[in-house]
Amino acid sequence: MRSRKFIAGLGMASLLALTACGGGGGATEGGLGERDGVETEAGLGGGEAVTQFEEMYQTAVDGGQTTVNVYTPLTATWPDVFAAFEERFPEINVEPLQIVGAELDTKVSQEQSSGQRIADMVITGDSGAVALADRDTFQEYRPFNAQDITEDPQFSLEEGTLTSVSASPRGFVYDTRQDVGGAPESWDDLLRPELKGKITMTDPATDGGGMQWGDLVLNDSDLGEGYLKDLAAQEPVISSNTAECHNAVVQGRAYVCIMGAMGNYQTLTRDGAPVEITYPVEGGNWATYWYAGVVNESENADAAKLLAAWLNTPEANEVKAEAGHGPVTNAEDVELPFENPADVPQFERPDLADVTARQRESQKTLSSLFS
């Protein structure tokens, strides 16, 4: 089988739901909040982890840090994630700002240069996070519960300024109303004559998920530039962003968005959209990895560190999965409504420190192919 079709249902039977512990927002003996249906020790990763989180929480609250300001493109898809954090740590509110790409980079940089810092944390994709880290935007912070990824050059920087917090699976989101001779299940399927002019994709020549995908395919030993040339000959329609890519399919203006995001797909199917998703496995696939950085000299740095650590707990992994994001660590007892990106063959990725430079080099070829 060349691809895998995801199950859209979200009725997870996670091992985290061991006991019903009362309604969310209450307080446990150690000051932590309770989360409905989630046992605290299992949810946070064990007894030692609970102690660590209690100490971090107390430090933040004692310092008057009752807010953590997060700049991220994930505001629209992660409201339940941030709400779950507030349930576990009820004296701290998450204030997310929806901001993307160059605008995010400019705003954070201006705050740093002026000393008028608002952001306490940034959560964004690989190239954007690395670009900010290269300008000393973030302080060194290695969460105690994520040592395996903070020591892995594909998930963190040597300086310890970024920590991966999720992996968003990507696939082909297609229109179930259109008959084009069968659903696309592999990269080669996209080259079928009947799909010419019916493909949409986010721009691989500009920063973002499109460029990430284009760089991975361009540097793949099996696909490479030859495949991209063949795909360009299919006359794909370039969408301005991932949401527009999905909308083109929902509205029938395209048959398939080849950079479909799991979170967007789950939202669309919950709303009754006539779409399905396949995950091409033959030749490899990809996921968008998201990284968190605690801003240097931010007002609520301790609260931001608490959030960064919590985002890789088993209970956070469960809530993120409902938003279409897979885990990067501490997921042994978490059931997902889709295949974990870690269990599916992926395109070979560069080390995080090399992402920006390689994408910039790839951009030249991608621009010439898809201009």
Side-chain angles (χ1 to χ4, degrees), residues 240-265:
S240 58
N241 53 54
T242 301
E244 170 57 25
C245 193
H246 291 96
N247 288 339
V249 175
V250 173
Q251 295 166 7
R253 293 183 284 113
Y255 170 67
V256 59
C257 168
I258 67 173
M259 298 172 185
M262 179 55 63
N264 297 72
Y265 164 71

Side-chain angles (χ1 to χ4, degrees), residues 23-351:
T28 64
E29 183 177 350
L32 301 178
E34 296 178 349
R35 295 195 56 238
D36 192 18
V38 181
E39 196 274 323
T40 299
E41 187 169 308
L44 293 180
E48 292 184 7
V50 170
T51 299
Q52 289 264 33
F53 278 113
E54 288 173 344
E55 293 174 354
M56 294 178 70
Y57 183 35
Q58 194 64 53
T59 297
V61 172
D62 286 348
Q65 299 180 24
T66 57
T67 299
V68 54
N69 296 299
V70 181
Y71 288 3
T72 180
L74 297 175
T75 298
T77 53
W78 274 26
D80 291 342
V81 177
F82 297 136
F85 172 83
E86 292 173 343
E87 289 178 355
R88 182 60 74 194
F89 307 100
E91 294 190 54
I92 300 178
N93 295 319
V94 179
E95 297 291 345
L97 174 66
Q98 178 76 15
I99 187 167
V100 184
E103 184 182 2
L104 185 153
D105 186 286
T106 298
K107 183 166 175 56
V108 173
S109 298
Q110 288 176 344
E111 290 182 11
Q112 287 294 91
S113 61
S114 69
Q116 302 298 312
R117 298 174 182 85
I118 300 174
D120 302 304
M121 172 184 283
V122 173
I123 304 175
T124 193
D126 53 13
S127 60
V130 172
L132 287 168
D134 286 345
R135 297 197 296 275
D136 298 323
T137 302
F138 306 120
Q139 60 181 275
E140 180 179 352
Y141 175 60
R142 295 177 173 86
F144 72 91
N145 60 346
Q147 184 176 358
D148 56 334
I149 57 175
T150 59
E151 294 179 350
D152 188 328
Q154 287 210 334
F155 294 100
S156 188
L157 296 176
E158 185 179 359
E159 297 81 5
T161 51
L162 291 174
T163 301
S164 183
V165 293
S166 77
S168 176
R170 297 282 188 152
F172 302 155
V173 173
Y174 64 92
D175 185 351
T176 58
R177 299 164 297 187
Q178 298 187 46
D179 183 5
V180 294
E185 297 186 340
S186 71
W187 300 108
D188 284 343
D189 282 351
L190 297 178
L191 305 182
R192 298 195 324 241
E194 56 267 37
L195 290 186
K196 187 170 184 176
K198 295 180 178 292
I199 297 170
T200 184
M201 58 195 292
T202 53
D203 193 349
T206 59
D207 288 347
M211 183 181 290
Q212 182 189 65
W213 171 84
D215 170 73
L216 292 171
V217 173
L218 180 63
N219 288 281
D220 182 72
S221 59
D222 295 322
L223 296 178
E225 185 174 355
Y227 176 81
L228 291 174
K229 287 180 178 178
D230 292 339
L231 182 63
Q234 290 286 73
E235 300 177 2
V237 176
I238 302 300
S239 296
S240 58
N241 53 54
T242 301
E244 170 57 25
C245 193
H246 291 96
N247 288 339
V249 175
V250 173
Q251 295 166 7
R253 293 183 284 113
Y255 170 67
V256 59
C257 168
I258 67 173
M259 298 172 185
M262 179 55 63
N264 297 72
Y265 164 71
Q266 291 180 169
T267 298
L268 290 172
T269 53
R270 282 195 291 266
D271 291 341
V275 296
E276 186 55 83
I277 189 169
T278 57
Y279 203 30
V281 172
E282 183 179 294
N285 206 289
W286 65 299
T288 297
Y289 286 84
W290 297 86
Y291 298 85
V294 178
V295 175
N296 264 329
E297 301 182 45
S298 62
E299 184 176 352
N300 303 296
D302 291 326
K305 291 176 181 178
L306 179 66
L307 175 58
W310 179 82
L311 283 171
N312 276 316
T313 61
E315 69 177 10
N317 284 333
E318 182 184 57
V319 183
K320 287 183 299 184
E322 294 178 6
H325 283 245
V328 288
T329 190
N330 299 321
E332 292 80 5
D333 295 332
V334 179
E335 294 186 8
L336 304 175
F338 48 78
E339 250 180 313
N340 189 338
D343 297 331
V344 177
Q346 298 281 314
F347 291 128
E348 185 176 348
R349 295 190 298 134
D351 287 348

